[in-house]
Amino acid sequence: MSPTDEIEDSSAPLIEHLAELRTRLIRCVVYFVIGMVICFTVATPIFNFLTNPLCEVLAERGQDCDLIFISPQEGFFVAIKVSFLGGFILGFPFIANQLWRFVAPGLYKSEKGAFLPFLVASPFMFFLGASFAFYVVTPLAYDFFLGFQQFGAEGEAVVGEEIDQGLSVVFQGSAQEYLNLTIKFIVAFGLCFQLPVLLTLMGKAGLVNAEGLGAVRKYAVVAILVLAALVTPPDVITQVILFVVVYGLYEVSIFLVRRVDRKREADLRAQGLWFEDEEEGEDMADDLAPDLADDPLMSEFDEDDEDDLGKPDKS
């Protein structure tokens, strides 16, 4: 067989994998579009559901939950954004199934058993983070933001020592701006809740270990603070909540990675492949010392070193 034939034979599986990848990606897009179309038909009820945190805060303050469109096309774009979010949520199980069916044939049975739980845990943690953002963080954030309104109990202008003129500052929110901020909360917390899944998977792959994660804890604190400042609005409440939650997830990740390290160590010990670095190094040095002392080549090196030390320095 000529080298050209070997190259052609080896390229065939690659073309097949690329063709299968294209098919899987097309199916993922189709699932997403179907979910998006379904959500577009019920965009208004979904949007009304997403406004519940704001409406509850406004109701506690005796205000009506009214949002406005500041441009003619804003209503359409609100429906599109709701459809994007709903399409991703509805299509994610089918998209994940397509990705799994593409990756699974190239994995060993043990690797499938190790990877599959993470595929299940990832959407669960995302929904957990999104629910935490929607039911806990968002109401607190909007309660903080709406606290800067100025009006009396009956809606009259506020006049006080701190205000020179009668002034009423009342919230009249844009539907699109509210949706953008709410989706930002949901996506940010949903992605941050992926931290234990990501670090545990990296620990199983041997890319990180618990000792290393603990050693860089102070750098992780700074990184989490920067992340909280970037992905949340400029208010202290949501930034502190996100920092506390993500740092707690980081500590949980260290605990999970430590369990992975212990399990790997136990498996290697059972196979007789585990060696303690320091103790093994010292034992090997002690075992090799007598052999090296009797080695004639090493004796010649020692004699050469002694001769070199006995020669005067020509410099």
Side-chain angles (χ1 to χ4, degrees):
M1 180 180 294
S2 65
T4 305
D5 295 335
E6 293 180 359
I7 295 175
E8 292 177 354
D9 291 342
S10 63
S11 63
L14 177 61
I15 299 300
E16 292 178 2
H17 289 314
L18 291 176
E20 183 181 2
L21 177 61
R22 180 189 62 182
T23 302
R24 300 296 181 188
L25 291 178
I26 291 175
R27 291 179 181 177
C28 291
V29 173
V30 171
Y31 291 137
F32 172 75
V33 171
I34 292 175
M36 184 178 172
V37 171
I38 293 174
C39 292
F40 187 82
T41 59
V42 290
T44 299
I46 296 176
F47 179 76
N48 293 339
F49 171 76
L50 293 176
T51 58
N52 281 336
L54 177 64
C55 293
E56 291 177 359
V57 174
L58 289 173
E60 293 176 358
R61 298 174 178 272
Q63 296 178 252
D64 295 331
C65 186
D66 295 328
L67 295 174
I68 62 175
F69 293 151
I70 59 176
S71 62
Q73 72 274 15
E74 186 172 338
F76 172 74
F77 286 113
V78 166
I80 291 295
K81 290 182 180 180
V82 170
S83 303
F84 265 92
L85 179 63
F88 174 76
I89 293 175
L90 288 181
F92 184 82
F94 304 98
I95 294 173
N97 178 59
Q98 290 298 315
L99 297 177
W100 169 252
R101 293 179 65 180
F102 175 74
V103 175
L107 300 177
Y108 293 106
K109 185 176 180 180
S110 58
E111 292 174 337
K112 292 181 181 179
F115 184 75
L116 186 58
F118 293 97
L119 192 63
V120 176
S122 181
F124 172 77
M125 293 300 294
F126 182 87
F127 288 128
L128 183 63
S131 300
F132 180 81
F134 185 75
Y135 291 106
V136 178
V137 178
T138 304
L140 292 176
Y142 288 131
D143 184 64
F144 173 79
F145 293 145
L146 295 177
F148 292 93
Q149 297 181 104
Q150 300 179 34
F151 60 93
E154 302 298 329
E156 72 278 7
V158 175
V159 181
E161 297 179 356
E162 70 281 2
I163 301 175
D164 296 333
Q165 299 178 353
L167 179 64
S168 180
V169 181
V170 182
F171 170 75
Q172 291 183 340
S174 164
Q176 186 171 357
E177 291 298 325
Y178 169 79
L179 184 63
N180 291 341
L181 187 58
T182 303
I183 291 178
K184 186 177 182 180
F185 277 126
I186 292 174
V187 174
F189 277 84
L191 294 178
C192 288
F193 270 62
Q194 299 295 315
L195 185 63
V197 179
L198 176 62
L199 291 181
T200 306
L201 185 59
M202 293 176 65
K204 272 189 168 293
L207 300 177
V208 298
N209 55 47
E211 183 179 356
L213 293 176
V216 299
R217 184 180 279 110
K218 57 183 179 181
Y219 302 105
V221 170
V222 176
I224 294 171
L225 285 173
V226 174
L227 176 67
L230 292 176
V231 303
T232 58
D235 68 291
V236 179
I237 295 179
T238 54
Q239 290 179 1
V240 170
I241 292 176
L242 182 60
F243 170 77
V244 172
V245 170
V246 176
Y247 182 74
L249 293 174
Y250 185 79
E251 293 295 335
V252 172
S253 302
I254 294 177
F255 171 76
L256 295 176
V257 173
R258 184 176 291 111
R259 292 188 59 184
V260 172
D261 292 342
R262 291 175 179 173
K263 184 177 180 181
R264 182 188 299 110
E265 179 181 346
D267 293 340
L268 292 176
R269 286 184 183 277
Q271 299 174 12
L273 301 175
W274 178 263
F275 301 101
E276 296 291 344
D277 294 338
E278 295 182 358
E279 296 179 1
E280 184 66 19
E282 293 176 357
D283 294 340
M284 290 180 64
D286 295 338
D287 294 339
L288 292 176
D291 297 334
L292 294 176
D294 297 336
D295 192 346
L297 293 177
M298 293 302 296
S299 301
E300 292 180 3
F301 282 119
D302 294 338
E303 291 176 359
D304 292 339
D305 292 338
E306 293 176 359
D307 294 340
D308 291 339
L309 293 174
K311 292 180 182 179
D313 189 0
K314 296 180 181 181
S315 60

